[in-house]
């Protein structure tokens, strides 16, 4: 491991998407993350994809699970078994961080709540992440990413101006995860300075609301309730996604200054319509946005999206295609930046996945391992870390402690 | 109580959303964040609405006020040599510089990572740009809209589209830009942990395109692994439910596990469906949902969002109401948790702002001060750099500060 968190160990009880990606981010930075599951309660993303409905064979064939559990070690512990709980506590006692996203109260009943665990590790940092937070009348309410986005207020703001709200999905889980990672890092900074651990109570729906501060303030300041506007912006025009040559090919164009507007006009070959008084300044363009969008679409329709991006960018105009998965994978820029990496998975073989979201010059964040198969790292975790003999481990596997 | 980032010194040279949100996350946790703004105009967010009571002044932008809580503001013109000298003096004493200038710009002014690192080897430079510091698109310009689409996220929205005839869209507001700032803050704190352990600073290169791409990492590895390309079309068997219209708006409901299906059947008063062979698993429910959709729809249309939400949750059914901004503000759960805090800015008086989405038990999040007026901390910060009143007046006269 080369990352800045080398030497930090995390016992990770999280499942689904919002929990596991939080510890994955810390794992990208070099933390050792040990994921605790069991046959009774495997992470459900080993079995199905929430977004596509795809059902995976067995426990170790899920691309989704691989993508959000990279760099982790895996063990099996049946936490309904008291001996397993003792082993989990032992592991936490030699960890820096423990993370969980069960329904509030569940970990406490298992004997693995914050109060119980800080007895074995006084400076522990403990993250509880849930849909609505660990306190309040709705603390036991359950939800997935679309629920967080809807309760948080962002689903209402997303969608065509004349259409329904937009059910957001996986990206919302991963935003909640990144929020968790930030809270953990802040707690780690405090512990590094003072030696004190703490408990973090995170609400995934609140993690959505903080991303629309200006919309919420528009209501508290002005009593105005913001509405959906598709791709449109409150001030800029043009600000849209326009059809290009080929089926389902699109280009986004956003013009914020007079210089960018002039650049767009040059790129189009200075058509007469663009010089008309009703497009003369930003306010006029905003006022005649429907016509502006129609005119632009007539032009973009004749060209491949990537050609237009290059042409517009040469003129200083912010433009980029709405990329599908193939375009992203073949994108020369993402290629050169190393955005795609490969791992060799013990059961799935070679898998392409996405690199960490930042580049750190001195302590690179890296993908070092595929996601663990269920219970892959018993020798290291129970043997090397917890000091159990092979016989003891085998016995506990037979007894069902490590089910 | 202490704050998590007490004693951390941050210089922010960034505008609009991503860089300032990164700075806000650090400032609201106790870091001292000195925001450098261009003299006269300030951060571009000051010129962007929504504005307080429609008054389009530089101190009345809701976007600016929200994104710059707990910070200090100084004005500084980097196009003048004296301005660059002061920038170097600020960087010399900082732990973290957050900057969002186009790739290479600071370098050409002699303020690039190498130059600053030579002055201050502890310095962490967190650079946030549309496409990163390297690669063929490094000089390309992009706004939130462009990046939401260039990252592959926009192409997937609105999900559950009936066909591909309409254009793909971005997420609401500027949420993608906020998310990029959040990513930058995580990396800055990773680098800070290392800096405190070893004394060594470093460069964080955040490409907004890549941060947003990473948020779809569980969907956008499908093509490279020879699986079907995800689109914004409704997946035929993804699940039953999704977005559903009811009497006063919409709810979302995802029925995945069998016990959730049983709960749903109970909720809509059709416990017999739970035993119906057409609905034995998630896949079958997706395929046969059409057969019961009219009845489910009628049940929904007879009830409000809140009725369906609480009745469903009482049965552990993952249902949620689609809330508007006013309803988020009034939400009893959020208010129980004191999610909103009152911030009194001189231009607006007391206004409720969203707080932190998590409670840190020992180092609570707080707004240390409202967003700064443009250049309000010039005297304090420049005095700290050893500039007396006469010197400051001269620099102000020359438009350096």
């Amino acid at each position: 491991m080369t990352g800045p968190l080398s030497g930090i160990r995390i016992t990770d009880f999280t499942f689904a998407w919002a929990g596991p990606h939080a510890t994955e981010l810390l794992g990208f930075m070099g933390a050792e993350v040990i994921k605790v599951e069991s046959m009774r309660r495997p992470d459900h993303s080993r079995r199905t994809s929430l977004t596509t409905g795809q059902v995976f064979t067995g426990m170790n064939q899920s691309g989704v699970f691989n993508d959000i559990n990279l760099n982790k070690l895996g063990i099996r512990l049946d936490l309904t078994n008291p001996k397993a709980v003792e082993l989990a506590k032992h592991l936490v006692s030699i960890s820096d961080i423990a993370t969980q996203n069960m329904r509030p109260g569940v970990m406490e009943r298992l004997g693995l709540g914050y109060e119980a665990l800080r007895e074995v590790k006084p400076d522990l940092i403990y993250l509880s992440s849930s849909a609505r937070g660990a306190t309040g009348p709705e603390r036991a309410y359950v939800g997935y990413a679309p629920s967080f986005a809807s309760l948080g207020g962002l689903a209402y703001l997303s969608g065509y101006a004349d259409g329904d709200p937009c059910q957001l999905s996986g990206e919302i889980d991963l935003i909640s995860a990144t929020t968790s990672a930030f809270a953990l890092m802040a707690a780690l900074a405090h512990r590094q300075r003072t030696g004190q651990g703490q408990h973090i109570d995170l609400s995934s729906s609140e993690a959505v609301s903080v991303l629309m501060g200006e919309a919420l303030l528009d209501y508290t300041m002005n009593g105005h309730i913001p509405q959906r506007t598709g791709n449109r912006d409150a001030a800029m025009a043009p600000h849209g996604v326009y059809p290009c040559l080929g089926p389902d090919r699109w280009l986004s164009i956003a013009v914020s200054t007079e210089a960018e507007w002039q650049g767009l006009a040059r790129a189009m070959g200075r058509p007469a319509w663009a010089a008309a008084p009703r497009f003369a300044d930003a306010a006029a363009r905003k006022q005649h946005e429907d016509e502006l969008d129609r005119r632009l679409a007539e032009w973009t329709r004749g060209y491949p999206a990537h050609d237009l991006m290059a042409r517009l960018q040469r003129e200083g105009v912010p433009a980029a295609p709405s990329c599908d998965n193939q375009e992203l994978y073949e994108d020369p820029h993402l290629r050169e930046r190393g955005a795609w990496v490969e791992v060799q998975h013990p059961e799935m073989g070679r898998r392409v996945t996405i690199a960490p979201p930042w580049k750190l010059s001195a302590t690179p964040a890296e993908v070092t391992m595929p996601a663990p198969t269920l219970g892959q790292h018993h020798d290291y975790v129970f043997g090397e870390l917890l000091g159990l003999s092979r016989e003891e481990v085998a016995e506990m596997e037979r007894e069902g402690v490590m089910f | 109580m202490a704050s998590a980032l007490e004693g951390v010194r941050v210089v922010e040279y960034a505008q609009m959303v991503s860089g300032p949100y990164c700075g806000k996350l650090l400032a609201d946790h106790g870091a001292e964040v000195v925001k450098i703004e261009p003299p006269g105009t300030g951060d571009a967010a000051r010129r962007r609405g929504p504005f307080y009571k429609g008054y389009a002044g530089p101190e009345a932008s809701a976007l600016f006020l929200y994104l710059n809580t707990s910070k200090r503001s100084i004005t500084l013109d980097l196009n003048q040599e004296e301005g660059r000298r002061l920038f170097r003096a600020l960087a010399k004493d900082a732990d973290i510089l957050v900057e969002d200038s186009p790739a290479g710009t600071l370098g050409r002014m002699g303020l690039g990572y190498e130059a600053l690192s030579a002055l201050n080897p502890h310095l962490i430079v967190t650079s946030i740009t549309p496409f990163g510091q390297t690669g063929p698109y490094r000089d390309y310009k992009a706004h939130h809209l462009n990046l939401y689409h260039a990252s592959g996220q926009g192409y997937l929205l609105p999900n559950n589209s009936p066909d591909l005839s309409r254009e793909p869209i971005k997420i609401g507001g500027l949420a993608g830009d906020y998310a990029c700032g959040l990513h930058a803050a995580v990396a800055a704190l990773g680098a800070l942990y290392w800096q405190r352990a070893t004394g060594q600073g470093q460069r964080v290169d955040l490409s907004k395109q890549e941060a947003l791409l990473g948020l779809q990492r569980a969907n956008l590895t499908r093509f490279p692994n020879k699986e079907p390309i995800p689109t914004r079309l409704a997946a035929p068997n993804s699940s039953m439910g999704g977005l559903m219209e009811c009497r006063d708006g919409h709810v979302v409901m995802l029925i995945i596990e069998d016990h959730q299906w049983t709960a749903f059947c109970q909720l809509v008063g059709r416990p017999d469906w739970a035993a119906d062979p057409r609905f034995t698993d998630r896949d079958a429910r997706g395929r046969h949902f059409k057969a019961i959709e009219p009845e489910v729809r009628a049940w929904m249309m007879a009830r409000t969002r809140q009725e369906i939400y609480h009745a469903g949750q009482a049965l552990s059914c993952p249902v949620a109401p689609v809330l508007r901004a006013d309803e988020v503000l009034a939400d009893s759960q959020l208010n129980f948790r004191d999610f909103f805090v009152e911030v009194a800015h001189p231009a607006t008086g007391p206004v409720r702002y969203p707080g932190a989405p998590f409670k840190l038990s020992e180092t609570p999040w707080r707004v240390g001060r409202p967003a700064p007026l443009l250049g309000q901390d010039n005297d304090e910060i420049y005095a700290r750099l050893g500039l007396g009143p006469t010197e400051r007046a001269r620099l102000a006269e020359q438009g350096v500060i």
Side-chain angles (χ1 to χ4, degrees):
Chain A
M1 292 285 184
T2 58
L5 303 184
S6 302
I8 294 291
R9 181 176 296 137
I10 302 174
T11 302
D12 183 10
F13 297 99
T14 66
F15 65 100
W17 293 28
H21 181 59
T23 50
E24 180 181 57
L25 286 168
L26 271 52
F28 287 158
M29 289 200 280
E32 180 180 85
V33 183
I34 300 168
K35 187 176 175 87
V36 181
E37 301 170 86
S38 69
M39 289 294 282
R40 190 189 302 281
R41 202 172 186 289
D43 189 328
H44 64 61
S45 72
R46 288 186 180 277
R47 295 182 295 165
T48 62
S49 161
L50 290 194
T51 49
T52 64
Q54 194 181 4
V55 177
F56 305 108
T57 332
M59 290 293 178
N60 303 314
Q61 299 284 330
S62 162
V64 171
F65 182 81
N66 187 59
D67 288 326
I68 51 185
N69 289 280
L70 295 162
N71 288 14
K72 297 184 189 180
L73 304 167
I75 60 171
R76 284 184 284 117
L77 280 178
D78 176 6
L79 297 176
T80 60
N81 183 313
K83 280 190 188 169
V85 171
E86 281 315 303
L87 285 175
K89 278 188 173 177
H90 189 180
L91 188 57
V92 170
S93 75
I94 56 167
S95 298
D96 302 281
I97 294 171
T99 54
Q100 63 94 5
N101 62 342
M102 304 215 196
R103 204 190 276 223
V106 172
M107 286 295 273
E108 285 74 13
R109 285 197 290 283
L110 292 171
L112 296 168
Y114 174 59
E115 293 305 328
L117 291 183
R118 72 189 292 197
E119 279 176 26
V120 297
K121 175 69 178 170
D123 63 347
L124 182 69
I125 294 166
Y126 185 103
L127 170 78
S128 303
S129 160
S130 59
R132 297 295 264 160
T135 60
E138 296 176 13
R139 66 186 177 279
Y141 282 21
V142 290
Y144 298 103
S147 320
F148 313 154
S150 298
L151 288 160
L154 199 50
Y156 185 84
L157 281 185
S158 305
Y160 300 119
D162 60 353
D164 286 339
C166 186
Q167 191 193 165
L168 301 163
S169 181
E171 70 274 35
I172 297 297
D173 274 322
L174 271 59
I175 283 172
S176 173
T178 312
T179 309
S180 291
F182 174 79
L184 288 168
M185 291 306 308
L188 206 49
H190 178 68
R191 197 195 69 161
Q192 191 180 28
R193 193 169 63 86
T194 65
Q196 185 182 40
Q198 59 184 314
H199 179 244
I200 304 163
D201 160 20
L202 181 132
S203 156
S204 294
S205 56
E206 291 172 9
V208 169
S209 298
V210 294
L211 306 180
M212 42 182 279
E214 76 285 4
L216 292 171
L217 260 62
D218 196 14
Y219 181 72
T220 58
M221 284 180 173
N222 302 322
H224 177 247
I225 302 171
Q227 303 295 325
R228 294 181 281 287
T229 59
N231 285 311
R232 285 193 174 173
D233 182 73
M236 293 183 229
H239 192 276
V241 170
Y242 305 92
C244 293
L245 196 63
D248 198 29
R249 301 291 92 177
W250 307 89
L251 183 75
S252 67
I253 301 174
V255 167
S256 65
T257 63
E258 191 55 32
E260 289 171 2
W261 170 250
Q262 291 303 330
L264 175 61
R266 279 196 303 278
M268 291 189 292
R270 295 193 177 283
W273 67 263
R278 64 189 182 286
F279 301 121
D281 60 36
R285 290 191 286 274
K286 184 72 196 161
Q287 194 190 335
H288 300 101
E289 192 170 11
D290 286 344
E291 186 192 343
L292 180 60
D293 280 350
R294 262 197 319 278
R295 298 276 193 178
L296 264 179
E298 281 164 22
W299 174 66
T300 56
R301 211 180 285 284
Y303 304 92
H306 285 266
D307 292 0
L308 282 188
M309 168 174 66
R311 193 198 290 190
L312 286 165
Q313 290 283 356
R314 268 199 304 277
E315 302 290 351
V317 181
S322 190
C323 296
D324 73 16
N325 202 170
Q326 179 170 0
E327 290 174 284
L328 289 168
Y329 188 57
E330 291 169 354
D331 185 81
H333 181 76
L334 289 173
R335 285 284 163 121
E336 190 172 314
R337 299 265 306 164
W340 305 97
V341 293
E342 284 181 16
V343 290
Q344 194 65 34
H345 187 276
E347 292 196 21
M348 289 185 284
R350 174 186 161 276
R351 285 286 305 187
V352 176
T353 187
I354 294 174
W358 353 255
K359 297 191 186 308
L360 283 75
S361 61
T363 56
E366 288 175 338
V367 173
T368 54
M369 289 191 294
T373 58
L374 191 55
Q376 187 182 348
H377 299 98
H378 284 194
D379 285 353
Y380 169 72
V381 176
F382 295 123
E384 277 186 49
L385 293 186
L386 300 187
L388 301 180
S389 69
R390 269 172 187 269
E391 294 70 33
E392 286 171 305
V393 174
E395 174 60 25
M396 286 200 244
E397 282 175 346
R398 266 195 305 279
E399 279 179 40
V401 177
M402 295 154 195
F403 178 68
Chain B
M1 279 176 114
S3 288
L5 301 178
E6 243 169 65
V8 178
R9 299 179 101 174
V10 180
V11 174
E12 176 187 305
Y13 183 62
Q15 302 197 32
M16 285 299 291
V17 178
S18 299
Y21 189 56
C22 174
K24 172 184 165 68
L25 286 165
L26 305 177
D28 288 346
H29 287 93
E32 183 198 85
V33 178
V34 176
K35 181 180 180 79
I36 298 176
E37 303 190 69
T41 53
D43 182 336
R46 291 183 182 274
R47 297 186 294 282
R48 197 183 145 108
F51 291 102
Y52 176 65
K53 306 283 185 220
Y55 167 68
E59 309 300 347
S61 154
L63 185 69
F64 181 85
L65 294 179
Y66 176 66
L67 288 170
N68 293 283
T69 51
S70 308
K71 299 179 191 174
R72 289 162 168 78
S73 163
I74 61 172
T75 49
L76 187 60
D77 180 6
L78 297 196
N79 295 314
Q80 305 194 44
E81 178 46 40
E82 285 204 274
R84 294 191 287 273
R85 182 176 62 79
L86 290 171
F87 186 90
R88 280 189 282 268
L90 287 164
K92 197 167 184 298
D93 280 338
D95 294 298
I96 298 172
L97 167 66
V98 178
E99 66 93 9
D100 68 351
S101 38
T105 314
L106 285 181
R108 283 191 290 278
M109 292 193 284
L111 305 173
Y113 175 69
E114 278 69 28
L116 298 180
S117 174
L119 289 174
N120 175 6
H122 311 297
L123 184 68
I124 295 155
V125 176
T126 303
S127 298
I128 305 170
T129 50
F131 295 98
Q133 299 293 315
T134 60
Y137 302 165
R138 69 183 175 279
D139 297 327
Y140 279 11
K141 293 165 72 174
H143 294 291
H144 177 255
L145 171 77
N146 307 110
L147 289 163
Y148 215 77
H149 288 283
S151 66
Q153 287 222 62
Y155 184 77
L156 303 174
L157 296 179
N159 53 10
N160 300 327
S161 290
D163 57 53
L164 299 173
S165 60
R166 289 191 78 171
E167 72 281 10
I169 56 164
K170 68 174 180 68
I171 199 168
L174 299 162
D177 273 353
Y178 280 90
C180 292
L182 173 63
H183 276 86
V186 173
L189 291 188
L192 181 71
Y193 190 81
W194 182 257
Q195 182 237 45
R196 282 174 166 177
T198 65
Q200 187 184 14
Q202 60 184 307
R203 178 81 188 267
V204 177
D205 169 8
L206 183 104
S207 152
K208 291 164 75 166
Q209 181 192 30
E210 286 161 30
L212 294 173
L213 171 72
L215 289 176
Q216 278 292 358
R217 58 183 310 117
N219 287 324
L220 293 178
T221 57
R222 291 170 63 75
F223 176 79
N225 291 303
K226 302 181 173 57
E227 294 166 16
I229 287 185
T231 70
R232 60 192 178 283
L233 293 176
N237 62 343
S238 62
S239 67
M240 57 139 301
L243 186 80
M244 294 196 223
E245 195 176 359
C246 59
R247 201 167 84 202
D248 64 345
H250 293 85
V251 295
V252 292
M253 186 180 298
L254 226 52
I255 303 297
I256 290 161
E257 312 278 353
D258 292 344
H259 66 87
Q260 293 165 347
W261 168 243
T262 308
F264 174 78
C265 298
Q266 216 178 322
L267 174 66
V268 299
R270 289 298 303 264
D272 53 307
W273 285 347
D276 191 320
R278 286 176 302 173
F279 306 120
T280 46
D281 60 32
R282 185 182 173 201
D283 187 55
R285 292 193 285 270
R287 277 185 284 115
H288 295 293
F289 180 57
K290 281 261 177 294
I292 57 169
E293 196 173 358
E295 188 175 336
V296 171
R297 176 182 283 270
W299 187 90
M300 295 278 165
M301 290 305 288
R303 285 161 182 84
T304 66
R305 287 169 295 163
Q306 292 295 335
E307 281 169 358
I308 299 168
Y309 179 42
H310 298 296
Q313 289 286 351
L315 298 163
S316 289
C317 197
V319 56
V322 176
L323 299 182
R324 302 185 307 259
D326 56 321
E327 294 166 329
V328 173
L329 263 303
D331 186 277
S332 56
Q333 172 71 6
L334 294 186
N335 287 303
F336 181 95
R337 284 170 61 77
D338 294 323
F339 174 65
F340 297 101
V341 297
E342 199 166 87
V343 179
H345 185 274
T348 64
V351 163
R352 290 170 82 210
Y353 286 41
F358 47 77
K359 312 279 184 216
L360 289 164
S361 63
E362 304 299 328
T363 57
W365 173 97
R366 66 173 149 248
V367 172
R369 45 171 77 193
L373 306 174
L374 180 58
Q376 78 171 36
D377 301 291
N378 277 2
D379 283 349
E380 181 195 338
I381 301 296
Y382 289 125
R384 205 194 282 171
L385 295 182
L387 302 182
T390 330
E391 188 69 356
R392 296 202 298 271
R394 181 185 64 81
L395 290 168
E397 181 79 7
Q398 293 171 355
V400 175
I401 67 177

